[in-house]
Amino acid sequence: MSRNNYTGKHVDTALDRTQADTPTERFILSIYARHAGKDDLLAWPGQNTIARRVGVSERQVSKLVGRLVKRGELELVRRGKEGKSTNVFRVAILADK
């Protein structure tokens, strides 16, 4: 399956399964789903990139990502060394149920 095919499937699946309360949350989740790896479901788009695409502040992105994490749709995975770690998210809502 080509990258574009599974990327589209990821977005469709995430949007079908989400319990997001707002269109903005759904948009943010779709960005993570679009960036998710085929097998590991990891994604790390920067919050500044997401904020720019969605049209909200980075603070608002952080708040809404926190809601997605709390609901179990995204899962925070830290990568890197202590003090220089990067937040990576597993798009848990895409995992087979």
Side-chain angles (χ1 to χ4, degrees):
M1 185 178 285
S2 75
R3 170 142 174 88
N4 287 340
N5 286 341
Y6 83 79
T7 297
K9 183 176 187 258
H10 278 355
V11 172
D12 290 347
T13 300
L15 292 175
D16 286 345
R17 293 179 179 175
T18 188
Q19 298 298 310
D21 297 326
T22 68
T24 305
E25 279 182 271
R26 294 174 68 83
F27 193 2
I28 290 170
L29 181 62
S30 73
I31 291 170
Y32 278 99
R34 181 176 175 269
H35 284 85
K38 180 179 179 183
D39 298 317
D40 61 12
L41 304 177
L42 295 178
W44 53 94
Q47 287 193 352
N48 60 338
T49 299
I50 295 170
R52 188 179 67 250
R53 288 183 182 164
V54 176
V56 298
S57 68
E58 287 183 46
R59 182 177 173 134
Q60 184 70 4
V61 170
S62 181
K63 177 183 171 186
L64 295 175
V65 166
R67 288 166 70 175
L68 292 167
V69 169
K70 186 175 181 180
R71 221 178 5 258
E73 296 182 9
L74 292 178
E75 178 183 302
L76 177 61
V77 178
R78 297 217 187 263
R79 282 204 157 162
K81 299 177 182 177
E82 191 173 324
K84 292 188 177 188
S85 65
T86 302
N87 286 345
V88 175
F89 291 88
R90 180 173 176 270
V91 187
I93 199 167
L94 296 176
D96 289 329
K97 295 187 176 198

